[in-house]
Amino acid sequence: MVERRKPINVNEAISRMIRFAKAGSVEYIPIEKSYGRFLGEDLIADHHVPPFDRSPYDGFAVRAADTDYTSRNHPVELEIAGEIGAGSVFERPVAACEAVRIMTGAQIPDGCDAVVMLEEVNELVRNGKKYIQIKRNIKAGTNISFTGEDTQKGSILTKKGTYITPGIVALLATFGYKKVPAAKKPKIGVIATGSELLEVDQALEAGKIRNSNAYMIQSQITRAGGEALYFGQFSDDLEVCYNQVKEAIDEVDMLITTGGVSVGDYDYLPDIYAKLGCHVLFNKIKMRPGSVTTVAEKNGKLLYGLSGNPSACYVGFELYARPAIRTFLHSSYPFLKKETATLGADFLKSNPFDRFVRGHISYQDGRLIATPVGLDKSNVVSSLAGANILILLPGGTRGYEAGRDVSVLLLEDQEGLTMEQFMERDVNSRKD
Ligand SMILES: Nc1nc2c(c(=O)[nH]1)N[C@H]1C(S)=C(S)[C@@H](COP(=O)(O)OP(=O)(O)OC[C@H]3O[C@@H](n4cnc5c(N)ncnc54)[C@H](O)[C@@H]3O)O[C@H]1N2
Ligand code: MOO
Ligand SMILES: [Mg+2]
């Protein structure tokens, strides 16, 4: 008798899974390797930036009061008391009617409170002394880059769990992080199952296909910020697969299998979960593709039984594995970013389950256009190549016409959403 599974909705499945997602530890890595990693601690400014008042121009540091009552017809002459380049400091306070030649980035000398650009002064020599002539009144504070105007000491610059961009690398360097506290990458095991699977470098033969999911999942893991550990592909043999899964669990933070998760004669994952004494969180979801996505838990570790069908496998990963990976990486926003876009083409096939259609987002005249890519079937692989979004079409009895608003999940985004934000626009309710 075939097992009858009770489907649950997407948000319920997410809630069940996320209870077992936990943050990992922090490791210190060289700053040169930090781009693309995730911050393991909040980044707090331990000094002001800039740390001193400095000149944003090449010019002369002056005392603004010396230019009071100055005009084109009544210029003021200030004696040049010396010069400083970036990295040097002027050794004494500047006296009345003196100016200091100063270069961009140099510290403003004591006594000065403004900078006049080189282009705005006349330089002259009289009796062997150098002077500048200024023909206008300068306000105190003119052309000064003030201490702390960029960043105030004590402010939180970036929260832990944030994806480290080149801009964040610049901040890390500014604050002296030769070693960066990075969230440790979760180790995610990958196992492919199926007697029909050929290795990538094998020639096609009757009844067989190449194993694409294992490589797809490994790159999805990398994109999500995890470290993939590939255990190989195994034929549909209960004992072999059971032993492999059992051994792999101890070496990883989470384990992903692909294939063998439905109700077929050789779909052994349900038996393996039972034999391992796992707690199956769900094994049927009201979604397409990926309705058979199964998530189980063993001693607090998440085990993902993703479908063998490539599109179903892909979507199952992004909805249920990615948030657990980002949670491990300390992110408070582990879910895919959801945006509203205009559907770029009709999608008239109706389905009682919510659909996650592989699509491509483009910008047209300031609007976001979401267009389905390729054949929309669970067992299709080609549509995945052009997809940078999943278009969310809530289940119902009718299809969707081009031009209407749809929610889309951005696959390449690094900011993400909290679970609450992700669920706010409930994918299970249809907005006709
Ligand atoms: N009687 C029923 N049949 C099926 C049901 C159902 O509810 N009742 N569900 C269907 C749905 S929906 C899906 S999705 C698939 C899920 O299948 P499995 O997860 O059990 O995966 P397999 O049977 O092992 O393979 C399915 C399909 O995918 C190909 N495959 C498998 N592994 C890979 C790989 N690593 N790379 C590329 N392609 C792979 C495999 O050859 C099959 O064509 O079940 C439906 N059936
Ligand atoms: O699990 Mo299936 O992907 O709905 O075709
Ligand atoms: Mg099957």
Side-chain angles (χ1 to χ4, degrees):
M1 180 52 186
V2 172
E3 175 200 359
R4 295 253 174 247
R5 299 182 181 179
K6 190 176 167 338
I8 61 172
N9 68 40
V10 172
N11 286 354
E12 172 63 20
I14 285 172
S15 306
R16 289 188 195 181
M17 175 280 297
I18 207 75
R19 288 210 310 272
F20 293 93
K22 45 183 182 286
S25 54
V26 173
E27 63 183 353
Y28 285 81
I29 58 166
I31 187 168
E32 295 84 354
K33 304 264 183 222
S34 65
Y35 167 65
R37 295 288 299 268
F38 292 77
L39 267 184
E41 286 171 9
D42 290 348
L43 177 54
I44 297 168
D46 67 355
H47 62 73
H48 291 311
V49 179
F52 47 84
D53 286 354
R54 66 184 176 191
S55 176
Y57 294 120
D58 303 319
F60 287 90
V62 298
R63 303 161 57 101
D66 289 342
T67 67
D68 285 353
Y69 315 112
T70 299
S71 67
R72 184 169 283 279
N73 295 328
H74 296 96
V76 68
E77 285 182 10
L78 307 176
E79 186 181 343
I80 302 173
E83 58 173 66
I84 42 173
S88 306
V89 286
F90 196 61
E91 67 282 355
R92 65 168 174 83
V94 174
C97 291
E98 285 186 337
V100 172
R101 194 175 172 89
I102 191 168
M103 297 302 120
T104 304
Q107 182 168 333
I108 304 292
D110 282 352
C112 292
D113 55 7
V115 169
V116 193
M117 289 167 75
L118 287 181
E119 298 87 328
E120 289 186 22
V121 301
N122 291 326
E123 294 184 55
L124 48 108
V125 180
R126 190 180 297 127
N127 301 329
K129 288 185 176 175
K130 291 181 182 168
Y131 293 87
I132 52 166
Q133 209 178 39
I134 299 175
K135 291 184 174 170
R136 68 181 178 90
N137 186 293
I138 312 288
K139 282 206 199 73
T142 300
N143 292 338
I144 303 259
S145 181
F146 290 104
T147 305
E149 73 172 16
D150 185 339
T151 295
Q152 285 287 314
K153 180 177 177 177
S155 53
I156 297 181
L157 300 163
T158 313
K159 302 285 272 178
K160 70 177 174 183
T162 304
Y163 176 80
I164 300 177
T165 59
I168 292 175
V169 175
L171 265 188
L172 289 162
T174 300
F175 289 100
Y177 286 89
K178 190 163 171 56
K179 297 267 186 208
V180 172
K184 201 159 187 220
K185 293 182 183 187
K187 286 198 173 75
I188 322 279
V190 177
I191 291 176
T193 69
S195 301
E196 74 280 31
L197 299 181
L198 296 168
E199 298 284 357
V200 179
D201 55 0
Q202 281 183 285
L204 287 183
E205 40 183 285
K208 308 260 186 188
I209 57 165
R210 290 195 190 97
N211 167 12
S212 57
N213 291 355
Y215 299 94
M216 174 182 80
I217 298 168
Q218 289 179 74
S219 42
Q220 285 179 289
I221 291 170
T222 306
R223 176 166 69 181
E227 181 186 334
L229 247 86
Y230 184 39
F231 290 91
Q233 63 187 48
F234 300 92
S235 46
D236 292 316
D237 179 292
L238 177 57
E239 276 311 304
V240 171
C241 289
Y242 168 76
N243 288 328
Q244 194 49 57
V245 168
K246 191 166 182 293
E247 275 172 33
I249 287 177
D250 294 331
E251 294 178 43
V252 297
D253 297 301
M254 297 168 223
L255 181 67
I256 296 178
T257 57
T258 170
V261 82
S262 186
V263 295
D265 292 345
Y266 307 99
D267 290 337
Y268 289 132
L269 260 298
D271 298 339
I272 291 172
Y273 293 135
K275 213 169 157 185
L276 283 167
C278 294
H279 167 207
V280 174
L281 307 180
F282 52 85
N283 61 12
K284 188 87 181 172
I285 313 159
K286 293 178 185 166
M287 64 182 264
R288 277 271 132 87
S291 63
V292 297
T293 307
T294 300
V295 178
E297 164 266 323
K298 167 93 176 152
N299 300 330
K301 237 176 230 185
L302 284 164
L303 311 183
Y304 291 88
L306 301 182
S307 167
N309 278 329
S311 285
C313 180
Y314 186 97
V315 172
F317 176 94
E318 295 298 334
L319 288 181
Y320 306 105
R322 182 194 191 271
I325 293 174
R326 289 285 165 103
T327 301
F328 195 97
L329 294 168
H330 297 252
S331 175
S332 305
Y333 306 94
F335 288 83
L336 285 173
K337 177 91 134 221
K338 195 186 277 184
E339 261 308 325
T340 303
T342 306
L343 188 60
D346 287 347
F347 193 96
L348 299 175
K349 243 183 337 176
S350 69
N351 198 288
F353 286 0
D354 295 334
R355 271 188 195 279
F356 292 83
V357 177
R358 278 72 68 212
H360 189 268
I361 198 135
S362 58
Y363 307 90
Q364 281 173 27
D365 302 326
R367 288 190 315 158
L368 285 178
I369 310 291
T371 309
V373 283
L375 187 60
D376 189 76
K377 280 187 168 181
S378 168
N379 56 11
V380 158
V381 68
S382 59
S383 63
L384 294 170
N388 60 4
I389 51 167
L390 297 175
I391 306 170
L392 216 149
L393 301 179
T397 50
R398 283 187 290 132
Y400 290 80
E401 287 97 35
R404 66 173 291 165
D405 277 355
V406 286
S407 292
V408 296
L409 304 180
L410 307 180
L411 294 164
E412 300 289 347
D413 169 76
Q414 295 297 358
E415 285 175 11
L417 296 179
T418 63
M419 183 168 76
E420 293 68 31
Q421 290 168 333
F422 184 84
M423 290 182 176
E424 225 163 53
R425 210 173 291 140
D426 188 0
V427 297
N428 300 300
S429 67
R430 189 182 165 110
K431 301 184 296 165
D432 273 316

